[in-house]
Amino acid sequence: MIELKGIAAASGISIGPAYKLGKEDLVVSKEAITWADIPVQIQLFEEALIKTRREIIELQKRISTDMGQEEALIFDAHLLVLEDRMLIEEVISRLKKDQLNVAFIFSEVLKKYISVFSQIEDEYLKERTADINDVGKRILRNLLGKEKIGLGDLKDKAIIVAHDLSPSDTVAMHTKKVAAFITDIGGKTSHTAIMAKSLEIPAVVGLEGITAQVNSGDILIVDGLTGIVIINPDEATLRAYQQKLENLKGIAEKFLAVKDLPAITKDGRTVVINANIEFPDEMSSVKLHGSQGIGLYRTEFFYMNRKDSPTEEEHYEAYKYVAEQMKPYSVVIRTLDLGGDKFLSQFKIPHEMQPFLGWRAIRFCLARPDIFKLQLRAILRASVHGNLKLMYPMISGIEELQQANRLLQEAKDELKQMNLEFNHDLKVGVMIEVPSAALTADILAKEADFFSIGTNDLIQYSLAVDRSNEKVAYLYEPTHPAVLRLIKNIIDAAHAANIKVAMCGEMAGEPSLALILLGLGLDEFSMPPQIIPELKYIIRAVDFKVAQKFAQEALQLSTGTEVEKLAQERLAEVLK
Ligand code: PEP
Ligand code: MG
């Protein structure tokens, strides 16, 4: 039995067999062939290409039915790789020249392609490496006559063990055969971790070297709450975790019982508990968990994994759907936040040394009014179908907010000219996720309808800790006194200007921090849907006055560790 600790990324406990992804290392032997064998080898290659094409189309169909067309578009890029004449011709010409078996030739050509593409500076071309790798492995497996090894083929629920996960792997987890996943790299608020939460799959990331320690078939325990992973547990440990799992089920039922009740403290302070979504098809989970609205709709996932950009109509339809589904509750649409760790293949964003500090989010949108206004027009048009609001990401000062609002005004004028309807009173919020915005919140509050604190970024920028880097994850502390002071400053400035403050970073969904945030005066919490019942339960169990006292106590402490300890103790007192 081996016990390891990684970064808890998505809560829940899973016990089951390991399934190692991408590390099966297909062994390709090098075999000489004769001139006469060449037609047969070419035929094998063609059959492998056809079989691979069929598999991808099949997978695409399944994903399209299960998750929607948008997610299925990822596989268009894979199909394009299959049709790459250069790759196919190089294999055939080397086959004739070297007279070696086609599987070996293909694996050599594939290696060359991957190495060339991964060294290219251009982000668009660089991104193709993952597609080439994915498809190349499929072709190779078919050439070797092996069964395709992929998530789509999982027969029983298994725990995925991977170095990292590609977008297509993560999307394919929707098939529900994945019990949990663990990876070598990644941080708590990385893209993969956020996806795991929205798919409700327990996950532990940043387990450096885990892929070297686990074999497919090993029994694993994954505790997504503590970040503990146990390889081949002994009987006693297995029993202890099975018991813990049972207890968790009981606790979940207790929380679910309050999911449709208001989030009101014992002494009558009401807050709003909203959901974060990435895709419109999450609406059923949002409703199931008793959400009072959508506090963050991350629209950049709409642009991801496709070759073209979504049209204004596509944007409009998606926002209209979400608005209608949530009516009368509100839906906050966050405008395009690309850059940082989210790159889109359609827009040729230059490779930057510090992408999180570079041409990201609102900075990109202000420089590309064509792309930005298309989205703004769609949001405005959809606003007549429900209670929509919009917010801008990564605002660092008032001038950026004013510039964005000028473009919003232009978008409104364009719609007026076209006689298209929109809500003239659409509320416009600002995400506070850059320290300069947090420190000038009083200035921003004068021109914003509401704030939403993006702690995932606010923490990384204020503590200078890359949110997706496991090496510095120990420094990523939501409870750091600097973070608490910034949050207090934001809330106080907003309330002085009579506007509401929401929080949509992962910190808002940390049960142990709920009391402090409530006590600091936060008005709205937005989080992955499945945490909502627990948060409601906590809020309903406490007096606002008591939470205010906890918050004051927390503000007096000197370290994140002390705050964390206090938060855990106080939560236990309230829930006992
Ligand atoms: C945040 O930064 O806290 C946030 C909610 O936005 P994202 O995680 O998409 O950067
Ligand atoms: Mg952010």
Side-chain angles (χ1 to χ4, degrees):
M1 173 171 116
I2 305 173
E3 182 172 320
L4 300 153
K5 181 138 172 46
I7 300 165
S11 63
I13 292 178
S14 243
I15 304 171
Y19 186 89
K20 247 165 100 171
L21 200 69
K23 293 275 177 200
E24 311 85 359
D25 286 333
L26 299 166
V27 182
V28 187
S29 56
K30 182 175 174 179
E31 291 157 25
I33 56 163
T34 65
W35 184 251
D37 293 328
I38 288 175
V40 178
Q41 293 286 310
I42 292 178
Q43 195 186 341
L44 279 179
F45 185 44
E46 281 170 354
E47 279 168 6
L49 290 176
I50 292 166
K51 185 156 185 241
T52 308
R53 190 181 167 75
R54 230 184 286 130
E55 283 170 8
I56 295 175
I57 290 172
E58 170 77 15
L59 189 58
Q60 191 172 35
K61 265 198 219 137
R62 205 158 63 210
I63 298 290
S64 176
T65 324
D66 288 352
M67 286 192 75
Q69 270 186 329
E70 249 169 70
E71 288 71 31
L73 285 169
I74 299 169
F75 300 100
D76 279 352
H78 291 191
L79 290 172
L80 280 180
V81 175
L82 269 180
E83 283 157 17
D84 187 322
R85 289 310 312 166
M86 256 179 33
L87 186 130
I88 295 171
E89 275 158 21
E90 180 162 355
V91 171
I92 294 178
S93 80
R94 281 191 52 179
L95 185 64
K96 290 176 182 162
K97 190 164 116 289
D98 300 346
Q99 297 197 14
L100 292 166
N101 56 323
V102 68
F104 182 78
I105 299 274
F106 178 75
S107 72
E108 291 294 294
V109 173
L110 185 64
K111 271 189 221 149
K112 191 184 97 182
Y113 259 64
I114 289 171
S115 134
V116 169
F117 271 78
S118 59
Q119 282 164 28
I120 292 175
E121 288 279 298
D122 182 310
E123 264 320 309
Y124 170 78
L125 291 174
K126 203 179 192 146
E127 265 196 19
R128 302 277 64 80
T129 318
D131 293 332
I132 295 172
N133 199 11
D134 257 27
V135 183
K137 289 264 163 63
R138 275 181 195 279
I139 300 173
L140 205 51
R141 273 181 219 118
N142 285 332
L143 267 177
L144 293 168
K146 291 210 175 192
E147 272 303 294
K148 172 171 66 72
I149 303 167
L151 285 172
D153 286 337
L154 278 182
K155 297 279 180 294
D156 300 307
K157 278 218 164 196
I159 295 172
I160 303 300
V161 184
H163 178 64
D164 195 11
L165 286 163
S166 73
S168 71
D169 291 332
T170 320
V171 170
M173 287 187 184
H174 213 62
T175 55
K176 307 273 189 245
K177 284 186 187 140
V178 173
F181 74 75
I182 56 177
T183 58
D184 285 330
I185 65 171
K188 203 179 180 65
T189 57
S190 63
H191 179 187
T192 312
I194 287 173
M195 276 306 281
K197 283 189 192 167
S198 71
L199 296 174
E200 299 178 31
I201 297 171
V204 177
V205 299
L207 281 155
E208 292 172 74
I210 190 76
T211 45
Q213 300 196 51
V214 175
N215 293 312
S216 285
D218 281 349
I219 295 299
L220 297 179
I221 297 175
V222 176
D223 185 340
L225 194 65
T226 58
I228 292 195
V229 170
I230 299 169
I231 309 171
N232 294 325
D234 57 30
E235 269 302 311
T237 312
L238 205 53
R239 267 202 306 277
Y241 269 90
Q242 272 154 351
Q243 187 55 49
K244 210 171 158 185
L245 202 55
E246 279 305 308
N247 297 346
L248 275 183
K249 276 189 203 143
I251 294 171
E253 274 163 26
K254 182 174 81 175
F255 295 147
L256 278 169
V258 302
K259 75 180 174 64
D260 294 318
L261 299 176
I264 182 167
T265 62
K266 290 204 291 192
D267 52 352
R269 167 149 170 98
T270 303
V271 291
V272 175
I273 310 277
N274 277 332
N276 291 351
I277 61 163
E278 279 77 44
F279 300 108
D281 81 337
E282 287 174 70
M283 219 48 62
S284 51
S285 171
V286 167
K287 289 183 181 168
L288 195 76
H289 292 99
S291 177
Q292 293 169 279
I294 307 288
L296 168 67
Y297 177 3
R298 289 182 164 97
T299 57
E300 54 280 359
F301 287 89
F302 200 19
Y303 295 75
M304 269 180 194
N305 300 318
R306 56 188 286 167
K307 295 240 119 11
D308 56 346
S309 294
T311 61
E312 185 174 324
E313 265 338 276
E314 284 177 86
H315 279 282
Y316 166 72
E317 287 298 335
Y319 306 152
K320 176 174 170 243
Y321 172 75
V322 176
E324 282 172 342
Q325 288 288 312
M326 287 315 292
K327 215 154 73 176
Y329 294 131
S330 63
V331 175
V332 181
I333 302 189
R334 197 251 313 264
T335 58
L336 178 61
D337 178 10
L338 98 116
D341 61 349
K342 290 174 281 198
F343 289 104
L344 305 179
S345 39
Q346 323 61 332
F347 312 128
K348 306 230 163 101
I349 308 239
H351 184 64
E352 295 178 320
M353 289 285 284
Q354 311 270 13
F356 274 116
L357 301 182
W359 206 38
R360 194 191 157 189
I362 197 71
R363 301 169 182 185
F364 171 84
C365 285
L366 293 177
R368 289 294 307 267
D370 53 332
I371 294 167
F372 190 38
K373 279 203 289 178
L374 179 143
Q375 187 182 26
L376 292 176
R377 283 194 303 270
I379 297 171
L380 283 163
R381 286 172 52 203
S383 67
V384 296
H385 298 288
N387 184 1
L388 283 193
K389 298 176 184 174
L390 78 76
M391 70 179 175
Y392 306 125
M394 221 193 158
I395 293 285
S396 62
I398 190 77
E399 283 168 319
E400 262 174 342
L401 172 59
Q402 289 164 343
Q403 274 183 54
N405 277 337
R406 272 197 292 278
L407 291 170
L408 179 64
Q409 187 56 49
E410 283 180 26
K412 287 182 178 176
D413 294 342
E414 287 161 14
L415 292 180
K416 268 189 226 155
Q417 270 182 0
M418 289 184 276
N419 275 330
L420 289 170
E421 280 195 327
F422 62 90
N423 172 9
H424 291 252
D425 191 31
L426 181 76
K427 298 288 178 243
V428 180
V430 172
M431 279 193 80
I432 306 289
E433 47 184 352
V434 179
S436 59
L439 293 167
T440 55
D442 54 332
I443 303 173
L444 289 163
K446 293 190 187 117
E447 299 189 30
D449 291 321
F450 63 93
F451 283 162
S452 187
I453 310 177
T455 47
N456 302 341
D457 280 312
L458 186 62
I459 296 168
Q460 84 161 342
Y461 293 135
S462 56
L463 304 182
V465 184
D466 181 342
R467 62 192 265 189
S468 46
N469 184 339
E470 70 283 358
K471 295 264 191 308
V472 289
Y474 69 102
L475 290 171
Y476 190 95
E477 288 183 303
T479 49
H480 193 291
V483 176
L484 294 191
R485 288 179 194 192
L486 287 175
I487 293 172
K488 179 171 172 17
N489 192 58
I490 300 163
I491 296 175
D492 290 350
H495 288 172
N498 243 333
I499 64 168
K500 299 257 193 241
V501 191
M503 179 180 285
C504 60
E506 300 307 296
M507 185 174 176
E510 286 289 340
S512 65
L513 304 181
L515 298 180
I516 295 178
L517 296 174
L518 175 74
L520 286 173
L522 192 69
D523 301 297
E524 301 185 7
F525 296 64
S526 195
M527 63 201 66
Q530 66 278 16
I531 315 175
I532 291 175
E534 183 172 356
L535 255 283
K536 275 198 183 169
Y537 187 92
I538 294 170
I539 304 274
R540 293 176 59 84
V542 72
D543 274 310
F544 181 48
K545 279 201 202 75
V546 172
Q548 280 179 307
K549 208 171 115 259
F550 292 168
Q552 286 314 314
E553 264 184 277
L555 286 168
Q556 305 307 316
L557 299 175
S558 325
T559 67
T561 314
E562 285 167 12
V563 175
E564 176 72 41
K565 189 163 164 284
L566 175 82
Q568 301 278 5
E569 283 169 11
R570 295 293 181 257
L571 181 64
E573 279 167 26
V574 165
L575 295 184
K576 84 171 177 262

